[in-house]
Amino acid sequence: TTLFRSDVVEIKASMKSELPDLTSMVDYRDDSNPLTIQLGNANLRNIHYYDIDVTKRFASKNQELCHFSMGYHQTDNAVANSLTFDKTTGISTIRPVSVNGNWRADLDFGYTQALDSAQKFSIDNQFSVNYNHNVDMATVAGYADSQRSIVSNWQTSGNLKLNYRPADSYEFSLHGGGNYYFISSQREGFTDIHAGDYNIGANAQLSLPWKFQLTTDLTMFARRGYQQNEMNTTNWIWNAQLTRSLVKGKLLAKLQGFDILHQLSNTQYAMNAQGRTETWHNSIPRYVMLSLSWRFNVNPKNKDK
């Protein structure tokens, strides 16, 4: 619900409740895998969400745009999976439970301004700080039962872009940005994480002879400070696209080159609120593709009343 809104200030607040997944609330026992038993939990509580966001915008006659926003978001009775390991039999029992204490807060600032009177040069700056207080159930060495895991996640992000548009048919930009993560917990065996990633690159949009349009982007993505060496990577990613309209704009021919330098991998590593996740994608990270698309315009006939 929007509580208040004007040309420069907007306040939104909402509250929502929902049932946990019904299959989790059924009192069942799945022992089809004798070493991993799945249980339901009929005592799971309804999940409640509370959100509030405040945004303030500034604008001037000199093409200066600025916005400032902050928000608070809370989840009560989130569903987590609790694991119990029997050292005697080697059997793991998994059961969903309701946990409290999940909330996050965010602060964002953005600024855009033309740098010259002709408005050919412009700058765009985005900055944000986010905190996530995450509660889950985690397996801890030396314990047979899952323990309540509270992890504090701080993330600071910034992005800066310098744009040059000398004419409608040409545009060039330089961009850079980064994220810094500080993740800590009192959980036994948890090692605090101080890590970050950043990117620097340039892109261009050009009108070429014979009505061709070229769009290209070259960006370096780097990750540093992670405990696992495989997560500290540097990749140069170059993508390009060449297009041309034919048959009075009805047919569009497009030639795309993705990951031209062949530095992307099918294996991706990422951080979530509780630790590291590792994901494999069965895909082709590098390719060149030619495509043709035809645009149809269907106008309804006018009917006389």
Side-chain angles (χ1 to χ4, degrees):
T1 302
T2 301
L3 301 179
F4 176 79
R5 185 172 186 176
S6 68
D7 292 339
V8 293
V9 179
E10 183 178 43
I11 302 176
K12 291 184 178 181
S14 65
M15 181 177 66
K16 182 179 70 173
S17 298
E18 66 181 21
L19 289 171
D21 186 87
L22 293 180
T23 57
S24 299
M25 298 183 68
V26 176
D27 191 11
Y28 74 97
R29 176 187 177 92
D30 181 2
D31 55 3
S32 55
N33 182 345
L35 294 179
T36 304
I37 299 175
Q38 296 273 354
L39 301 178
N41 186 356
N43 295 319
L44 289 177
R45 298 186 292 272
N46 291 348
I47 306 171
H48 306 297
Y49 302 95
Y50 308 92
D51 301 277
I52 184 167
D53 293 281
V54 180
T55 302
K56 184 173 179 61
R57 296 180 177 87
F58 307 86
S60 72
K61 297 180 181 179
N62 298 325
Q63 300 297 319
E64 295 179 2
L65 300 175
C66 179
H67 77 268
F68 174 84
S69 64
M70 55 184 178
Y72 176 81
H73 313 276
Q74 179 175 318
T75 303
D76 291 345
N77 302 327
V79 177
N81 287 317
S82 176
L83 182 144
T84 301
F85 178 72
D86 191 327
K87 297 180 180 180
T88 304
T89 62
I91 296 175
S92 298
T93 303
I94 302 174
R95 182 172 181 263
V97 295
S98 297
V99 295
N100 283 314
N102 283 285
W103 63 273
R104 60 186 176 88
D106 48 71
L107 185 68
D108 297 275
F109 173 79
Y111 180 75
T112 302
Q113 180 185 8
L115 299 179
D116 62 326
S117 58
Q119 299 180 15
K120 294 182 178 181
F121 288 91
S122 63
I123 189 172
D124 181 77
N125 182 27
Q126 306 292 327
F127 178 78
S128 65
V129 178
N130 303 280
Y131 175 75
N132 183 4
H133 187 268
N134 186 269
V135 181
D136 205 341
M137 303 297 293
T139 302
V140 179
Y143 291 86
D145 297 325
S146 294
Q147 304 296 308
R148 181 180 169 91
S149 172
I150 302 176
V151 180
S152 297
N153 295 262
W154 286 94
Q155 179 182 353
T156 303
S157 304
N159 291 281
L160 181 65
K161 180 179 180 182
L162 176 63
N163 195 69
Y164 174 56
R165 188 182 179 92
D168 292 340
S169 55
Y170 299 95
E171 185 171 355
F172 306 91
S173 63
L174 299 174
H175 57 84
N179 299 284
Y180 170 72
Y181 306 97
F182 172 50
I183 305 175
S184 62
S185 176
Q186 298 297 320
R187 189 178 78 203
E188 185 177 346
F190 189 96
T191 302
D192 292 350
I193 298 173
H194 298 266
D197 46 67
Y198 61 93
N199 64 85
I200 301 173
N203 57 54
Q205 299 180 32
L206 308 172
S207 292
L208 302 179
W210 303 293
K211 298 182 180 180
F212 282 97
Q213 298 287 331
L214 174 65
T215 302
T216 183
D217 179 90
L218 177 64
T219 304
M220 182 200 70
F221 296 92
R223 300 158 61 95
R224 296 292 184 269
Y226 295 94
Q227 297 169 3
Q228 293 80 15
N229 291 330
E230 62 267 23
M231 295 186 69
N232 296 311
T233 58
T234 301
N235 303 107
W236 286 89
I237 309 303
W238 180 24
N239 303 323
Q241 175 178 286
L242 186 67
T243 60
R244 191 185 191 283
S245 296
L246 304 167
V247 195
K248 297 181 178 180
K250 293 185 177 181
L251 179 65
L252 180 65
K254 183 186 299 183
L255 179 64
Q256 290 178 288
F258 184 77
D259 188 23
I260 298 173
L261 301 179
H262 200 192
Q263 294 200 12
L264 280 179
S265 171
N266 281 343
T267 304
Q268 296 183 358
Y269 304 94
M271 302 296 299
N272 65 11
Q274 288 284 329
R276 187 189 84 164
T277 61
E278 186 172 321
T279 306
W280 288 272
H281 296 273
N282 186 15
S283 61
I284 302 175
R286 182 192 188 193
Y287 63 83
V288 175
M289 180 173 63
L290 176 64
S291 63
L292 297 173
S293 59
W294 184 274
R295 184 175 65 181
F296 295 90
N297 290 329
V298 179
N299 298 319
K301 297 181 179 180
N302 295 325
K303 295 182 180 180
D304 295 334
K305 295 183 180 179

